[in-house]
């Protein structure tokens, strides 16, 4: 009799091995680069839709006018939001730069890349939520976006780069993005509070608007004083606070206290960011003269 030959049965992959393969794939630098690129494309499409193109409703007309230029004391006129064109252009530059061979495995990119991708998805989701009229959801999304950008700024600070190209294509765009979103979060919160009719402590809306401007200015100053001084964050906040001061002085609704708070906030952020930039530059020049290593 011939001995029976054992027939090998195919072994089905276990759930753990499949999950492990997925984690390995996601951990690769290529996956991160692709995620950033895909997120940018979705973000740009959502941005065009939010501008009223591609069949979408413009943000200022969405949510029953909750984001209209005269809805709250922190609302801005449409011209102020033209900064998004510069932010999107900067994010495009960052996305192309992270494909540069030397950037693929850099610690900076590994620290911030996935979070940058998440921030652009959150931005796209915010636009869709606003067009759907869900102001509460937009507030949740923009607070998550602020948290994501705080993580990114922390990563840029932990892994600084001495190269100017990084300053131009990484720190610059992400700093500009962060500065504007800080102010946009306050605008979003004011719209939600107005819709809900929330009146904490019986204080006037004007007082709360001044407090919001102070909080945004302080947060912006903290961000501006990280690293070598994040001038792009300063510029974004200066742009937004400048428009806020202009709108409250000459636009509707008028509010001299809010306009003055915006002016003081603008000055405060400028002083903090620029002083930090010159302080670090001076320390580096002194270290070079002494032959000391730079931090």
């Amino acid at each position: 009799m011939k001995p029976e030959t054992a027939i090998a049965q195919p072994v089905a992959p276990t759930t753990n091995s499949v999950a492990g393969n997925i984690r390995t794939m996601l951990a690769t630098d290529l996956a991160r680069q692709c995620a950033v690129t895909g997120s940018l494309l979705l973000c740009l499409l959502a941005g065009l839709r939010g501008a009223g193109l591609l069949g979408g409703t413009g943000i200022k007309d969405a949510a029953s006018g909750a984001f209209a230029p005269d809805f709250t004391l922190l609302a801005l006129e449409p011209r102020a939001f033209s900064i998004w064109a510069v932010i999107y252009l900067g994010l495009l530059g960052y996305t192309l730069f992270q494909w540069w061979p030397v950037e693929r495995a850099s610690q900076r990119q590994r620290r911030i890349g996935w979070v940058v991708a998440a921030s652009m998805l959150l931005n796209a989701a915010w636009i869709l939520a606003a067009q759907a009229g869900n102001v509460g959801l937009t507030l949740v999304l923009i607070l998550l976006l602020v948290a994501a950008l705080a993580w990114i700024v922390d990563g840029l600070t932990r892994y600084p780069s001495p190269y100017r190209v990084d300053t131009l294509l990484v720190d610059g765009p992400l700093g500009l993005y962060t500065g504007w979103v800080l102010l946009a979060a306050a605008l979003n919160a004011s719209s939600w509070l107005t819709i809900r009719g929330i009146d904490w402590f019986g204080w006037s809306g004007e007082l709360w608007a001044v407090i919001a401007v102070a909080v945004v200015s302080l947060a912006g100053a903290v961000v501006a004083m990280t690293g070598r001084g994040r001038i792009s964050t300063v510029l974004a906040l200066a742009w937004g606070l400048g428009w806020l001061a202009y709108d409250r002085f000459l636009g509707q609704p008028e509010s001299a206290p809010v306009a003055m708070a915006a002016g003081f906030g603008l000055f405060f952020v400028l002083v903090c960011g620029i002083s930090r930039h010159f302080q670090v530059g001076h320390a580096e020049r002194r270290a070079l003269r002494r032959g000391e290593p730079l931090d």
Side-chain angles (χ1 to χ4, degrees), residues 199-271:
D199 183 19
W200 285 328
F201 309 118
W203 296 354
S204 67
E206 196 167 51
L207 177 58
W208 280 113
V210 170
I211 292 173
V213 171
V215 170
V216 168
S217 301
L218 180 60
V222 170
V223 174
M225 293 184 71
T226 60
R228 296 174 54 85
R230 302 201 179 281
I231 300 301
S232 59
T233 299
V234 172
L235 293 176
L237 279 168
W239 173 267
L241 291 171
W243 273 108
L244 182 59
Y246 173 83
D247 287 342
R248 294 296 78 82
F249 264 131
L250 301 176
Q252 293 296 328
E254 292 183 7
S255 174
V258 175
M260 293 176 63
F264 281 122
L266 189 159
F267 177 75
F268 178 66
V269 172
L270 279 174
V271 169

Side-chain angles (χ1 to χ4, degrees), residues 6-18:
I7 300 177
Q9 298 293 329
V11 179
T14 64
T15 303
N16 290 337
S17 65
V18 172

Side-chain angles (χ1 to χ4, degrees), residues 153 156 170-180 223 230 232-234 236:
V153 169
L156 295 176
V170 180
D171 296 78
L174 297 176
L176 194 73
Y177 191 14
T178 301
W180 181 254
V223 174
R230 302 201 179 281
S232 59
T233 299
V234 172

